[in-house]
Amino acid sequence: LVQGKLKRKVVVPPPNTHNVPTILQLLPEYMLSDKWRDKTSKGKNAEEGLVRRADNILTHIHGYPKPINQILPNDAMLIAQTLEEGVTEHTWLKDLGVQGGIISNNTIKEYVGSIRLFFDWACKKTKDDAVTIKDVWVERNPFIGVSLDNYGEEERTYEALTEHQLYALFDLKMSDRDLLIFK
């Protein structure tokens, strides 16, 4: 488990002896898959953005783009922790289009979920296309079973005002314009 602040260390990338692609190298092919056919244009753009930003977060953390066979379950937690710490801690997140402020648990799950869905596709794709065992880049999805429940802000729930609270609200002295907002 990842604990505390992310420590940045210089890492020499492990050799990519089988020339395994990265997420971004496979993304165009992934976007042509059956999974994308039923999505709206807006949905496709949103999903692509999440995948790209999540992969860029990993690249920034590790210092190099990881081939898909070197991505580990811990990487899901690194994405979650980085997003939770946010743009105040990691100003480079702004360059990726990550919004400032508090990031919800649901948003973090969307980022990691986009990569999890990519790996669902990649596992099937590489097994279907493999000629030899070395051609199977990913045997199982590394993000399956990773719990992200402790990251980000919990969803806020709102409760309706009681009748008494509504009367008290409308009894307040306010301009007609402000009153119109509540009406």
Side-chain angles (χ1 to χ4, degrees), residues 33-44:
S33 69
D34 291 341
K35 177 202 172 302
W36 286 76
R37 286 200 184 109
D38 296 333
K39 286 186 177 276
T40 64
S41 181
K42 183 178 179 181
K44 289 176 185 178

Side-chain angles (χ1 to χ4, degrees), residues 26 78 147 163:
L26 280 178
L78 289 172
S147 174
E163 187 175 339

Side-chain angles (χ1 to χ4, degrees), residues 111-158:
Y111 274 88
V112 175
S114 69
I115 301 294
R116 184 185 48 76
L117 290 172
F118 167 85
F119 271 108
D120 286 345
W121 168 82
C123 289
K124 182 178 179 346
K125 166 89 175 120
T126 60
K127 287 176 186 173
D128 289 349
D129 292 352
V131 176
T132 69
I133 194 67
K134 290 180 182 179
D135 295 334
V136 179
W137 299 323
V138 184
E139 291 187 35
R140 68 184 242 358
N141 188 333
F143 286 9
I144 293 290
V146 174
S147 174
L148 302 172
D149 292 339
N150 295 327
Y151 293 99
E153 289 288 317
E154 288 193 29
E155 183 179 356
R156 287 184 254 165
T157 58
Y158 299 92

Side-chain angles (χ1 to χ4, degrees), residues 12 58 67-68 91 126 133 140 152:
V12 176
L58 285 179
I68 63 171
T91 55
T126 60
I133 194 67
R140 68 184 242 358

Side-chain angles (χ1 to χ4, degrees), residues 19-33:
N19 294 322
V20 177
T22 64
I23 291 171
L24 291 185
Q25 288 171 330
L26 280 178
L27 184 59
E29 189 174 350
Y30 175 51
M31 291 173 60
L32 295 174
S33 69

Side-chain angles (χ1 to χ4, degrees), residues 2-147:
V2 179
Q3 294 180 349
K5 304 281 183 215
L6 292 173
K7 302 292 185 226
R8 183 80 191 212
K9 56 185 175 183
V10 177
V11 178
V12 176
N16 187 357
T17 55
H18 300 293
N19 294 322
V20 177
T22 64
I23 291 171
L24 291 185
Q25 288 171 330
L26 280 178
L27 184 59
E29 189 174 350
Y30 175 51
M31 291 173 60
L32 295 174
S33 69
D34 291 341
K35 177 202 172 302
W36 286 76
R37 286 200 184 109
D38 296 333
K39 286 186 177 276
T40 64
S41 181
K42 183 178 179 181
K44 289 176 185 178
N45 289 338
E47 184 79 12
E48 179 185 4
L50 287 169
V51 171
R52 285 184 184 279
R53 285 190 297 276
D55 183 70
N56 283 323
I57 289 169
L58 285 179
T59 299
H60 195 277
I61 290 168
H62 293 294
Y64 63 94
K66 286 179 105 173
I68 63 171
N69 67 337
Q70 294 176 13
I71 294 177
L72 304 171
N74 186 53
D75 288 323
M77 291 181 274
L78 289 172
I79 293 169
Q81 184 178 350
T82 302
L83 287 168
E84 181 180 57
E85 291 169 352
V87 295
T88 54
E89 183 96 15
H90 306 286
T91 55
W92 52 268
L93 284 171
K94 282 184 183 177
D95 297 336
L96 301 180
V98 176
Q99 300 296 316
I102 298 171
I103 296 190
S104 72
N105 178 261
N106 285 342
T107 300
I108 290 171
K109 286 180 177 179
E110 284 178 1
Y111 274 88
V112 175
S114 69
I115 301 294
R116 184 185 48 76
L117 290 172
F118 167 85
F119 271 108
D120 286 345
W121 168 82
C123 289
K124 182 178 179 346
K125 166 89 175 120
T126 60
K127 287 176 186 173
D128 289 349
D129 292 352
V131 176
T132 69
I133 194 67
K134 290 180 182 179
D135 295 334
V136 179
W137 299 323
V138 184
E139 291 187 35
R140 68 184 242 358
N141 188 333
F143 286 9
I144 293 290
V146 174
S147 174

